[in-house]
Amino acid sequence: MKKITNFENKKVLVLGLAKSGESAARVLNQLGAIVTVNDGKPFDENPAAQDLLAEGIKVVTGGHPLDLLEEDFAVMVKNPGIPYNNPMVERAMALKIPIITEVELAYLISESPIVGITGTNGKTTTTTLIADILNADGKVAKLSGNIGFPASDVASKSTADETLIMELSSFQLMGIEAFQPKIAVITNLFSAHLDYHGSQDNYEAAKWRIQENMTADDFLVLNFNQAKLRDKATLTSAQVVPFSTTEIVETGAYVSDGQIYFKGDKIMAVAGLSLPGEHNVENALAAICVAKLSGVSNAAITRVLTTFSGVKHRLQYLGQKAQIKFYNDSKATNILATQKALSGFDNHTLWLLAGGLDRGNGFEELSADVADLKGMIVFGETAPKLRALAESLAIPVYDSKNVATATILAYSKAEAGDTVLLSPANASWDQYKTFEQRGDLFIDAFTGLEEK
């Protein structure tokens, strides 16, 4: 970790804990800052605050008192999930207190070069692929950021001969000042988080900040399948490295005649990719761009892309029972995510497990995507709506109590050569605390199946 003096003997307010806030508080304390942590959760229910207090860090819990900001703070490190219209944040802005997020702190202390990945969809898969590929080639790549490993914690323990592979949300990118990755990736831009950003333009502007401090010595990997990203290619100082599944882009990664190329060099066949779906071809192309810019061999790239089983709960391949394949896509909490998952399979041999929290919407949008399914198993609050959709398309459909019983039922109906896909198209909160819990129960049910 770089021993910077930016925060030495300066009062710093860490607003909001969670993993990133806890990490930021510890790093700032090591850097000699006078740290105060403010978190809304009561102290007796707040193990993180208790631990920080035991380490000598001041904590204020159970609310966000505005008068706390009268202590003349030099900077606020804001939890990225806290919106800018929060009263504490608005008051800090009125007092002209600089507001950053924890990824800015990570950049300032990092001895390691940073590869930053953002976008609407595919961030986690692309981030994981990049790290796996670099590690497969003998390099040391560490996951960090929005993927579940606080960036400042990872940066504080990394060295110059390692690389931080950092997933970045729009919320995190709104709080940067000097942040400058060596390589940045924007996977795609769709509509998301409009309740936080207020408009699509604001959301896309936040994502575009990933490149604002990059220079001609840095590389920006962009999805040229999207016209909006192609148009932005002229608006950056970084060297743009495109990828596309629809055209030959000679300065980047592309698909031609069923083969994947990087700058004219054939890497592997598209059919060899272990993850199904056109969106995963895009993810693979983005990862290949970063890998080749990092000097990785084609052999290492191919080895990972042909064996990668997916990120947990995101089209994760679990394996086979009785020659029936099982995929866990519990992260598909909306219709668009399930549509993307379905695009990678042959409907005629596919059993879809779907259902969950009823938010009042219908599922007519799925009609073309589920047509000709071999069958559907439905559960949760939206089971009646999904059953009606299946019946309107003459798809065999069966009701089940929950995801575990749905797995067992699908296995009993499926035949050798079929695939069972959990891709719920709904949030999990009607029956489960999180999509992770739902996916874990699917995994447990799969593991418990006996060969038939």
Side-chain angles (χ1 to χ4, degrees):
M1 171 170 92
K2 291 179 182 176
K3 298 297 183 181
I4 60 173
T5 59
N6 306 45
F7 305 100
E8 191 172 348
N9 296 319
K10 293 181 180 178
K11 289 186 176 181
V12 180
L13 177 64
V14 176
L15 183 65
L17 274 175
K19 289 182 179 179
S20 65
E22 188 176 358
S23 173
R26 286 198 172 95
V27 168
L28 288 162
N29 193 46
Q30 291 177 48
L31 294 171
I34 304 166
V35 182
T36 299
V37 171
N38 177 217
D39 192 64
K41 187 182 292 185
F43 184 76
D44 58 357
E45 301 172 13
N46 202 326
Q50 294 168 24
D51 290 344
L52 292 172
L53 181 63
E55 295 168 26
I57 296 173
K58 180 181 176 180
V59 296
V60 178
T61 58
H64 300 294
L66 289 177
D67 58 4
L68 180 61
L69 291 169
E70 296 174 7
E71 294 189 19
D72 194 29
F73 289 104
V75 66
M76 172 189 282
V77 181
K78 181 186 75 67
N79 182 291
I82 297 174
Y84 284 81
N85 60 5
N86 175 280
M88 286 287 282
V89 180
E90 288 186 330
R91 180 60 178 158
M93 289 190 291
L95 294 170
K96 300 192 183 307
I97 299 172
I99 300 170
I100 63 172
T101 49
E102 180 249 0
V103 294
E104 175 73 8
L105 175 61
Y107 170 74
L108 294 174
I109 65 170
S110 179
E111 296 180 12
S112 308
I114 295 172
V115 175
I117 300 95
T118 196
T120 307
N121 297 320
K123 294 188 299 297
T124 299
T125 297
T126 302
T127 300
T128 308
L129 278 173
I130 290 168
D132 284 2
I133 291 170
L134 266 62
N135 286 322
D137 203 46
K139 305 179 189 303
V140 180
K142 294 184 174 180
L143 292 171
S144 60
N146 197 50
I147 201 167
F149 305 97
S152 59
D153 180 56
V154 179
S156 70
K157 301 169 183 175
S158 299
T159 61
D161 57 352
E162 299 171 339
T163 303
L164 301 190
I165 313 300
M166 192 177 294
E167 180 181 323
L168 296 160
S169 70
S170 57
F171 306 158
Q172 291 170 317
L173 288 168
M174 284 188 72
I176 64 169
E177 292 180 354
F179 183 85
Q180 181 184 354
K182 183 62 183 173
I183 303 174
V185 179
I186 303 180
T187 58
N188 47 58
L189 291 174
F190 295 105
S191 180
H193 302 304
L194 301 189
D195 54 339
Y196 186 103
H197 292 286
S199 71
Q200 182 67 15
D201 286 345
N202 289 344
Y203 168 68
E204 292 184 7
K207 291 290 192 183
W208 188 241
R209 292 198 70 188
I210 195 172
Q211 59 73 51
E212 70 179 28
N213 296 311
M214 296 175 76
T215 70
D217 294 326
D218 304 319
F219 299 93
L220 177 61
V221 177
L222 295 178
N223 185 349
F224 268 36
N225 283 353
Q226 286 198 302
K228 66 175 65 178
L229 286 174
R230 180 195 298 271
D231 291 344
K232 286 181 178 294
T234 60
L235 305 177
T236 180
S237 298
Q239 298 180 53
V240 171
V241 181
F243 66 90
S244 175
T245 61
T246 61
E247 63 175 307
I248 294 174
V249 285
E250 295 182 352
T251 56
Y254 57 92
V255 174
S256 179
D257 295 328
Q259 302 292 322
I260 295 174
Y261 294 83
F262 181 78
K263 294 186 177 180
D265 179 26
K266 186 164 71 175
I267 308 295
M268 62 178 291
V270 173
L273 295 173
S274 60
L275 294 183
E278 182 72 13
H279 59 297
N280 277 317
V281 180
E282 292 186 7
N283 295 337
L285 293 176
I288 287 170
C289 287
V290 175
K292 296 307 294 182
L293 292 170
S294 303
V296 173
S297 69
N298 290 354
I301 294 171
T302 303
R303 185 160 65 250
V304 172
L305 292 181
T306 55
T307 59
F308 186 71
S309 61
V311 177
K312 194 175 186 182
H313 309 305
R314 293 167 172 83
L315 265 184
Q316 174 192 11
Y317 176 58
L318 301 183
Q320 296 189 42
K321 290 286 179 73
Q323 300 180 55
I324 300 165
K325 296 180 179 179
F326 286 76
Y327 286 85
N328 168 27
D329 194 36
S330 185
K331 181 64 168 64
T333 57
N334 55 53
I335 290 172
L336 176 60
T338 295
Q339 288 173 319
K340 286 184 172 294
L342 289 168
S343 71
F345 295 94
D346 176 4
N347 276 8
H348 296 90
T349 57
L350 186 66
W351 292 84
L352 176 66
L353 278 56
L357 182 72
D358 191 346
R359 284 174 160 153
N361 61 284
F363 293 92
E364 295 77 13
E365 292 175 64
L366 272 175
S367 295
D369 305 280
V370 300
D372 302 321
L373 280 177
K374 193 163 186 180
M376 286 177 63
I377 314 292
V378 296
F379 55 88
E381 289 181 356
T382 57
K385 292 181 177 180
L386 289 163
R387 165 177 276 281
L389 173 67
E391 289 175 344
S392 72
L393 298 168
I395 298 168
V397 58
Y398 306 89
D399 291 284
S400 197
K401 182 179 179 181
N402 53 45
V403 72
T405 58
T407 307
I408 296 168
L409 180 58
Y411 184 56
S412 71
K413 299 291 183 183
E415 302 173 312
D418 287 353
T419 297
V420 174
L421 168 67
L422 170 67
S423 190
N426 293 267
S428 59
W429 304 320
D430 59 331
Q431 293 182 299
Y432 309 104
K433 292 181 179 179
T434 62
F435 72 82
E436 291 96 340
Q437 182 188 40
R438 178 172 63 189
D440 286 338
L441 291 170
F442 177 65
I443 295 170
D444 290 345
F446 163 76
T447 304
L449 295 173
E450 297 181 0
E451 294 286 346
K452 61 181 180 178

